[in-house]
Amino acid sequence: MKKQDFTVLKIEDLHPFPDNPFRLVEDELLIEMAESIKEFGVVTPIITRPKEDGNGYEVIAGQRRVRASQLAGIETIPAFVLPLDRDKAIITLVDSNIQRENILPSERAFAYKMKLEAMKRQGYRTDLTSSQVGTKLRTDETVAQGFGIGKTTVQRYIRLTELIPPILQMVDEGQIALTPAVELSFLKKDEQENLRITMESEDATPSLSQAQRMKKLSQMGRLDMDTIFAIMTEEKANQRETVKIGMDKLRKYFPRGTTPKQMEDFIIRLLERELKRKRNRDSR
């Protein structure tokens, strides 16, 4: 884009892009951005398109800059105004934001899905079975190549959009890993809700093996609440005979700022030394 393509828009005329998969988090980095904008202004123009009803502009890329400018008390912002239809705007939005740091799995999932659907509507090949030599790339392959990843990765992330919100939030929070989450996405919505209730009551999340078994039972029409409970209350290999000590009981024995991992390592070393002393005494 050329410099003369810039324009200046009133922030009050800007609107969020509908169904934007990338969340606006008001964190410390946003506050720092606001302070920088207050001192130096917005260096990189945002990308917008005119709203279809003619009332203002939709922000395609730069929603954090817009919000930071508001926090800084600034009323205008430099912008590109592009004549994009909705599908081209979606593709631009995803491409402009997907390389950001700290993108949540859910954001990535819905971004991939939005771009894939937009590209299909634009006429990219939509069949998912043909593999004849010389044919166009499948749409999911084209999306994957654009992000420098494999099509399987794109497909796996898109599967996450089939999860009910509470389980998808657990994926975002790192409580459930991507691979078992993909397996769980094949469960029916009522089965996922039963699983959510069980995970909450038992304070447990499924392993990959458990998720795969639930998926298979779901496909067979045999995954009811009792079956989910039986699977989720199985003893896992890494959960046998554990001893739990509350952090409030341990804190008083360690300096402020000691992490749980450091406490665990110290206790293990202490026990190992004591066991070694006992063995030496017994051998005398």
Side-chain angles (χ1 to χ4, degrees):
M1 295 180 183
K2 299 177 182 178
K3 188 172 182 179
Q4 59 263 33
D5 291 328
F6 293 156
T7 189
V8 177
L9 300 178
K10 293 181 179 179
I11 289 180
E12 65 182 20
D13 292 334
L14 301 177
H15 305 274
F17 190 86
D19 302 319
N20 188 335
F22 301 100
R23 304 173 193 172
L24 177 59
V25 180
E26 299 205 4
D27 52 14
E28 292 183 5
L29 292 177
L30 187 68
I31 302 302
E32 292 176 4
M33 181 185 292
E35 293 298 321
S36 175
I37 287 175
K38 186 181 296 184
E39 184 173 359
F40 303 107
V42 176
V43 177
T44 304
I46 64 172
I47 299 175
T48 70
R49 74 163 187 155
K51 286 193 68 182
E52 293 175 358
D53 61 8
N55 296 320
Y57 306 85
E58 292 176 348
V59 179
I60 297 173
Q63 60 177 343
R64 285 178 63 82
R65 277 166 278 166
V66 172
R67 180 56 182 152
S69 296
Q70 290 177 317
L71 294 175
I74 295 175
E75 298 180 352
T76 61
I77 192 168
F80 291 117
V81 179
L82 306 182
L84 303 175
D85 61 28
R86 176 165 172 77
D87 287 335
K88 289 181 179 178
I90 287 172
I91 294 171
T92 302
L93 181 150
V94 173
D95 289 346
S96 299
N97 288 276
I98 201 67
Q99 302 303 331
R100 266 177 17 196
E101 295 182 5
N102 303 320
I103 293 179
L104 297 172
S106 63
E107 294 176 316
R108 194 176 296 278
F110 282 101
Y112 287 166
K113 183 178 182 180
M114 284 181 67
K115 181 173 180 178
L116 182 68
E117 292 175 345
M119 292 178 69
K120 286 180 179 181
R121 287 192 295 266
Q122 285 196 320
Y124 284 78
R125 206 178 103 193
T126 58
D127 67 283
L128 301 180
T129 56
S130 175
S131 59
Q132 297 177 4
V133 176
T135 57
K136 292 182 180 179
L137 289 175
R138 284 168 29 167
T139 311
D140 52 359
E141 291 176 331
T142 305
V143 172
Q145 285 190 357
F147 297 133
I149 58 178
K151 68 178 182 182
T152 301
T153 301
V154 169
Q155 294 166 345
R156 282 158 58 82
Y157 271 105
I158 290 177
R159 281 300 318 175
L160 298 183
T161 64
E162 300 297 326
L163 292 171
I164 61 174
I167 294 181
L168 184 55
Q169 183 176 345
M170 295 177 75
V171 179
D172 281 343
E173 294 173 352
Q175 298 179 54
I176 301 177
L178 175 63
T179 302
V182 171
E183 300 297 317
L184 297 176
S185 72
F186 288 93
L187 272 56
K188 300 178 181 66
K189 296 298 189 259
D190 60 321
E191 294 169 341
Q192 291 187 39
E193 179 60 23
N194 287 339
L195 173 61
R196 181 199 67 78
I197 294 171
T198 305
M199 287 191 292
E200 184 175 307
S201 66
E202 300 305 310
D203 191 22
T205 56
S207 65
L208 174 58
S209 173
Q210 290 172 323
Q212 290 171 333
R213 285 161 55 202
M214 283 189 277
K215 172 186 173 183
K216 185 175 181 179
L217 288 168
S218 173
Q219 293 170 335
M220 297 168 64
R222 294 169 48 192
L223 189 65
D224 56 18
M225 177 63 105
D226 290 339
T227 305
I228 291 173
F229 181 82
I231 291 174
M232 290 302 299
T233 53
E234 292 172 344
E235 183 181 55
K236 297 180 185 178
N238 62 349
Q239 292 181 337
R240 293 176 185 151
E241 298 288 330
T242 58
V243 176
K244 295 184 178 180
I245 303 176
M247 291 302 297
D248 55 333
K249 294 181 180 179
L250 289 176
R251 287 289 181 198
K252 61 183 179 180
Y253 298 109
F254 293 91
R256 184 184 297 274
T258 304
T259 66
K261 182 64 168 59
Q262 290 171 329
M263 294 181 190
E264 179 184 351
D265 291 343
F266 176 82
I267 292 171
I268 290 174
R269 289 196 301 269
L270 190 64
L271 291 173
E272 287 175 344
R273 285 199 298 267
E274 185 59 30
L275 180 60
K276 186 176 180 181
R277 291 194 188 101
K278 184 178 183 303
R279 286 173 178 168
N280 289 337
R281 288 194 300 268
D282 293 344
S283 64
R284 292 173 185 172

